[in-house]
Amino acid sequence: DLRVLCGTGSKISLNRQTVTISINMRLLLILALCAATSVRSQPIRHHILVKLKPDTSQADKQALLEGLRGMQEDIAVIKHAEFGLQDANITDSRSSTVGGILDFASAADYQVYAQHPKHLALIQNLIVPFIADGGRAALQTNPDRIKDSNISPNAIRHHILVKLKSDTSQAD
């Protein structure tokens, strides 16, 4: 009997003995369970757009960008990541400040990333203090294929995330 109860102070019950595990142990357990499964899942692409408050300094924006770019080194389940600041020549009041895409081999890998202490610390320290009201948009998709990007560093990517009203049906 193996049960994993998510949340702070997660517990594992194994042969009628209960052991409290840390978040790091929980992440290792998730990775082990994902590796042990024979079910092949689709890759996940995580799109993120963040709009910062207008008075956010360039130094704070740069720290956020560097923190985002450093996640791929710190979080092994990230297969590929690209981040950038809004191009100053194209901006308007509707634009986000920073955006990016992250690729994962599976939904389980995305969940490991979403709960990873480095990711959560980045959100708390580099996003929460500067984010504008309603300034986050995210979307997880199943791309047809994920490959290494050969896009020129000088290219401009245009990300559009549209949030529909909750009462919008499929037919609308």
Side-chain angles (χ1 to χ4, degrees), residues 46-59:
H46 174 54
H47 308 256
I48 183 75
L49 294 174
V50 178
K51 186 170 189 168
L52 303 176
K53 295 174 188 170
D55 61 347
T56 304
S57 72
Q58 281 304 118

Side-chain angles (χ1 to χ4, degrees), residues 131-145:
I131 194 165
D133 290 338
R136 177 192 179 271
L139 174 69
Q140 287 65 241
T141 62
N142 300 112
D144 292 336
R145 66 183 191 281

